[in-house]
């Protein structure tokens, strides 16, 4: 379970969010929405322990992430807004590099199988510079098919994807949740994973408890609130 209590972050003298309290259980998806600049990416980076919050705490399986070491990162898959694809490396090499950085053991067969899952069969040896934005995004998403990482933190994973690739992502997300995984996804698109996954919504910048259009359940045992001070 991922739990957040009294979380706050600011950019300069501008508060992005404050007083965030929520929990996402095993098999749960938290969809984070809000206008640009309201702190969606910052929230994901705080959850991933890439930046420190200005206040509050993040816990993973009842332990503060600040007290966790490599065991936390071994369970984490963080994909940022930019695909982070190197132009001089092939799709295969890019995925192998990403897996190595994440500490995920993946041989050539596993890497090619992951690229096939995202529709890049026959493009494994193309350098990043000739891939379209959608194909670059698919290379990044292929990381989701490597390893058994329980916590997914994904920033705009549907950006530049066509309808077929988007549907494939939702299917993969559903399988992850069905296996007891947890996902926090920042997106402007509504994502509806297949049951029995639970789906929650958090809108940053609203200054109130989260609106839940299409949400299946409320936050179990918690709440979420976003606030913003114009600077």
């Amino acid at each position: 379970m991922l739990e957040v209590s009294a979380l706050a972050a600011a950019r300069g003298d501008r508060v992005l969010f404050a007083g965030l309290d929520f929990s996402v259980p095993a098999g749960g998806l938290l969809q984070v929405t809000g206008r640009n600049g309201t702190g969606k990416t910052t929230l994901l980076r705080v959850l991933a322990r890439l930046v420190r919050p200005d206040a509050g705490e993040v816990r993973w399986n009842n332990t503060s992430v600040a007290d966790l070491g490599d065991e936390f990162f071994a369970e984490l898959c963080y994909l940022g807004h930019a695909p982070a694809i190197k132009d001089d490396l092939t799709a295969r090499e890019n995925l192998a590099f990403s897996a190595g950085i994440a500490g995920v053991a993946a041989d050539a067969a596993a890497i090619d199988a992951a690229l096939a899952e995202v529709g890049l069969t026959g493009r494994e040896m193309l350098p990043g510079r000739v891939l379209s934005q959608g194909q670059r995004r698919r290379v990044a998403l292929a990381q989701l098919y490597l390893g058994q990482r329980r916590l997914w933190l994904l920033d705009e994973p549907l950006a530049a994807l066509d309808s077929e690739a988007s549907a494939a992502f939702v299917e993969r997300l559903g399988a992850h949740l069905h296996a007891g995984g947890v996902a926090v996804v920042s997106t402007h698109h509504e994502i509806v994973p297949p049951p029995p996954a639970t789906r929650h919504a958090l809108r940053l910048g609203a200054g109130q408890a989260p609106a839940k259009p299409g949400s299946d359940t409320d936050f179990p045992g918690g709440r979420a609130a976003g606030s913003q001070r114009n600077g």
Side-chain angles (χ1 to χ4, degrees), residues 92 95 104-117 142 145-147:
R92 180 184 290 160
L95 185 53
V104 175
D107 58 19
I111 288 171
D112 283 353
L115 291 172
E117 290 286 352
Y145 292 87
L146 296 175

Side-chain angles (χ1 to χ4, degrees), residues 84-86 89-115 124-125 138-140 142-143 146 149:
I85 302 303
K86 297 182 179 298
L89 299 183
T90 65
R92 180 184 290 160
E93 291 168 339
N94 267 291
L95 185 53
F97 179 79
S98 298
I101 291 295
V104 175
D107 58 19
I111 288 171
D112 283 353
L115 291 172
E124 300 93 341
M125 298 305 295
R138 291 185 190 214
V139 173
Q143 296 180 54
L146 296 175
R149 289 170 284 180

Side-chain angles (χ1 to χ4, degrees), residues 49 60 65 67-76 102-103 149:
R49 224 181 79 179
W60 175 243
V65 298
D67 297 327
L68 293 174
D70 291 342
E71 67 270 25
F72 174 68
F73 295 107
E75 294 197 294
L76 171 66
R149 289 170 284 180

Side-chain angles (χ1 to χ4, degrees), residues 2 20 22-25 27-35 38-41 43-44 47 152-158 169-170 173 177 182-194 197-205 209-220 224-225:
L2 179 69
L20 288 184
F22 62 77
S23 62
V24 189
L29 163 67
L30 174 63
Q31 182 172 332
V32 183
T33 62
R35 299 185 308 276
T38 54
K40 301 185 297 297
T41 293
L43 174 59
L44 289 179
L47 297 180
W152 289 4
L153 303 176
L154 312 178
D155 195 354
E156 294 289 352
L158 298 180
F169 164 77
V170 173
L173 174 63
L177 300 175
V182 173
V184 181
V185 180
S186 167
T187 178
H188 293 291
H189 305 83
E190 186 175 9
I191 297 175
V192 183
T198 58
R199 184 167 60 103
H200 319 286
L202 167 63
R203 181 172 180 81
L204 294 179
K212 297 183 288 295
S215 180
D216 301 314
T217 63
D218 202 345
F219 287 90

Side-chain angles (χ1 to χ4, degrees), residues 6-20 35-40 42 53-55 204-207 225-231:
L7 203 65
R11 182 183 297 150
D13 63 353
R14 181 181 178 218
V15 176
L16 296 175
F17 52 80
L20 288 184
R35 299 185 308 276
N36 292 339
T38 54
K40 301 185 297 297
T42 297
D54 289 281
L204 294 179
S227 64
Q228 178 179 2
R229 185 178 72 217
N230 293 328

